[in-house]
Amino acid sequence: MGNRKVLLIVVIAVVVLAVGAVVATFLGVDLFATVSGEAGKQPDAFSSVDDLKSGKAYVWHHDGGDIKEDLKKDAGENVYFTCITGDYNFKNEELGEEIEYPRSIWVDSATDDRIPTVTSKDRLIYVSSTEVPQEIVFERFADYGYSIGISNMEADKGGHYFMTFADVDDDDYKYFIDMNSDASQLTELTAITRLYLDKVGDVKVNEDSVSDGGTVLGLKKDKKYTCEFYTGTYYQDFNLTANIHCFGSMERFVNYDYEFMHSNFIVVEIPEYFKSGYYFVNGVGLFRYVADSDVSKYNGKAYDASIDWNDPIILYDDDGVVIYDPSDPDFEEKQKQKEIEEKSDKGDEDYDITDE
C-alpha cells in the first residue's frame, strides 16, 4: 500500500511539472531557468544558425571559414557568440541617450571572457523575428578595468569621494552598486544622503585613484580588500572583492548599414571610424572591438592594459564644443559654415560707422 502511495505522488508530481512546462512554454517562460542562467547555465556559443534567438546580437567568428557556408549547415564547432549584457543600471532605458545617473555596465571576472571580440575578419550579426532595425545604435563604454562593484562616485569640494546613497528613493543605490556583487551588502546600512569611501586596502580614494567613471583604480583582479566607508562620521568596514570589470558610457553613434543574409539575421557593418573599445549594440549586448592597428598586440584576453580602449572618437575643445566628429557625414560642411559665419560676425565688429 505504501509503495502505491509513493508511486501516486511521483505520478502527480510528474504531471504537475509537465503541465507547468506546457504553460511556461506557452507564456514564453523557461521553467528551469535561474537568475544566474545567463552567467553559466544558458549556452552563449552556437554551431548552428538555427539556434540563434530573436532580439539578440551575436559575433560570427570562424578561422578560415565562410559565413555563407556556415549558414547552409552546422559548422561543427561554435562560430556564433552572444553579445552578453552583464549587469547594468539603465534597465528599460537601453536605447536612451541620457538618464539622471551615468550609465554603467558591470561584468564579473568569471564572466567577462564571454564578451565576444570583433575584428575586421569577424561579423557582427543581429537577429529579430519581428523587425528590421531602422537604425543601429552603438553606445561605446569606457573600460575601467577591475574594481569592487561600485561606480559613479563623486568628489566633494575637499576631494573626498562618495555615492549618493539615498538622494531620491530607497532604490538609488542601484545606479552606483552592482547588486550581484558583494558590494550589495552596503544596502544593509542605514539610508543616508552620502556614503563616503575613504580607503580600499592601502589605496587612498582620491582623484589619483578614481576613474572618470567613479570607480576605484589600481586594484588587483579578484583580490579581497578591506574597504573603509563612512556613514556620517562613523567608520564602517566591509571586505569587498575586486572581481568586477567596470564600464562607463562614453560615446554614442548611430549607423544604418547592414546586409541581409538570406537567413534569419542581418550583418551589421562596423563603421570605419571605430577605434578599439567596447560597444553596446542596439541595447541588447556588449562586444569588444579590436581595430586592425591593435590586432597584432591584443593579448586575446578579457582585459588588455596595453591597448587604449578609451581613446575618444569624438573630440571636444576646452569649452565642450565638438571640434571633430567622423560619425557626422556633414560635420566638415557644418564647420566650414560656422567659420564663414564667425568671420562674417567679426567683419561686422571691425566695421566702424565713423569711417563713412
Side-chain angles (χ1 to χ4, degrees):
M1 187 69 177
N3 290 337
R4 289 183 179 179
K5 287 184 178 180
V6 171
L7 180 60
L8 180 61
I9 292 173
V10 171
V11 170
I12 292 173
V14 171
V15 171
V16 169
L17 285 173
V19 172
V22 171
V23 173
T25 301
F26 177 76
L27 295 176
V29 177
D30 184 352
L31 183 66
F32 304 101
T34 65
V35 173
S36 60
E38 184 186 74
K41 295 185 179 180
Q42 300 275 345
D44 58 13
F46 307 93
S47 60
S48 172
V49 68
D50 296 328
D51 294 328
L52 306 186
K53 296 181 179 179
S54 177
K56 297 280 189 179
Y58 300 86
V59 172
W60 174 83
H61 171 80
H62 190 177
D63 290 331
D66 184 328
I67 190 170
K68 292 183 178 179
E69 290 299 316
D70 286 341
L71 292 178
K72 299 176 182 178
K73 61 185 185 306
D74 191 303
E77 61 180 290
N78 289 331
V79 296
Y80 304 101
F81 302 89
T82 308
C83 294
I84 67 171
T85 61
D87 301 318
Y88 55 93
N89 68 351
F90 47 97
K91 294 291 188 338
N92 302 317
E93 292 287 344
E94 286 82 354
L95 291 176
E97 294 190 52
E98 294 181 3
I99 58 174
E100 184 178 357
Y101 295 92
R103 295 159 69 91
S104 299
I105 295 177
W106 300 285
V107 185
D108 68 75
S109 60
T111 305
D112 63 342
D113 60 353
R114 294 172 53 229
I115 301 173
T117 299
V118 177
T119 69
S120 58
K121 295 181 179 180
D122 306 310
R123 294 293 179 268
L124 177 65
I125 63 182
Y126 180 78
V127 183
S128 176
S129 62
T130 59
E131 64 179 2
V132 176
Q134 296 184 29
E135 59 183 24
I136 308 296
V137 178
F138 293 96
E139 183 172 4
R140 189 180 181 196
F141 279 77
D143 180 2
Y144 298 125
Y146 297 100
S147 190
I148 57 177
I150 296 175
S151 299
N152 305 321
M153 290 190 299
E154 304 173 67
D156 64 15
K157 292 183 179 180
H160 304 284
Y161 279 80
F162 65 92
M163 55 181 175
T164 309
F165 189 70
D167 184 28
V168 178
D169 56 54
D170 291 339
D171 289 329
D172 260 6
Y173 53 75
K174 68 186 178 184
Y175 296 104
F176 302 88
I177 300 175
D178 177 7
M179 294 306 295
N180 286 319
S181 73
D182 56 9
S184 62
Q185 61 189 292
L186 295 172
T187 62
E188 299 171 5
L189 293 171
T190 301
I192 57 174
T193 302
R194 292 181 175 184
L195 179 62
Y196 278 86
L197 175 58
D198 188 54
K199 290 184 72 176
V200 177
D202 295 329
V203 178
K204 180 71 173 177
V205 179
N206 54 35
E207 63 178 353
D208 296 324
S209 61
V210 176
S211 71
D212 291 340
T215 64
V216 181
L217 298 169
L219 305 185
K220 187 175 180 180
K221 177 185 176 183
D222 294 333
K223 182 177 179 180
K224 189 176 287 289
Y225 294 87
T226 297
C227 302
E228 299 181 8
F229 290 90
Y230 283 84
T231 54
T233 60
Y234 285 74
Y235 165 76
Q236 315 271 352
D237 65 4
F238 287 85
N239 291 321
L240 304 180
T241 310
N243 61 347
I244 303 300
H245 200 160
C246 300
F247 303 89
S249 184
M250 180 180 175
E251 299 172 307
R252 188 177 189 271
F253 306 96
V254 177
N255 197 36
Y256 305 92
D257 298 328
Y258 64 84
E259 179 184 358
F260 287 112
M261 294 301 294
H262 196 68
S263 182
N264 59 358
F265 64 77
I266 57 174
V267 168
V268 176
E269 296 296 326
I270 301 293
E272 293 182 358
Y273 55 81
F274 268 19
K275 295 181 179 181
S276 295
Y278 288 80
Y279 298 83
F280 201 69
V281 58
N282 243 41
V284 299
L286 189 68
F287 68 91
R288 176 189 306 105
Y289 177 67
V290 181
D292 287 344
S293 58
D294 290 324
V295 167
S296 61
K297 62 182 179 181
Y298 173 49
N299 65 12
K301 297 181 180 180
Y303 182 69
D304 187 346
S306 69
I307 294 178
D308 185 357
W309 302 102
N310 307 336
D311 186 19
I313 294 173
I314 302 174
L315 303 180
Y316 301 83
D317 64 17
D318 294 337
D319 296 322
V321 177
V322 176
I323 57 175
Y324 178 69
D325 183 0
S327 69
D328 183 354
D330 301 320
F331 182 75
E332 290 187 6
E333 186 63 33
K334 292 176 182 176
Q335 288 294 95
K336 291 179 181 178
Q337 184 61 36
K338 182 179 177 181
E339 290 176 4
I340 292 173
E341 292 175 355
E342 289 177 347
K343 288 180 180 179
S344 175
D345 291 342
K346 189 174 186 302
D348 291 341
E349 292 174 2
D350 292 340
Y351 180 74
D352 189 345
I353 194 170
T354 59
D355 292 339
E356 293 186 348

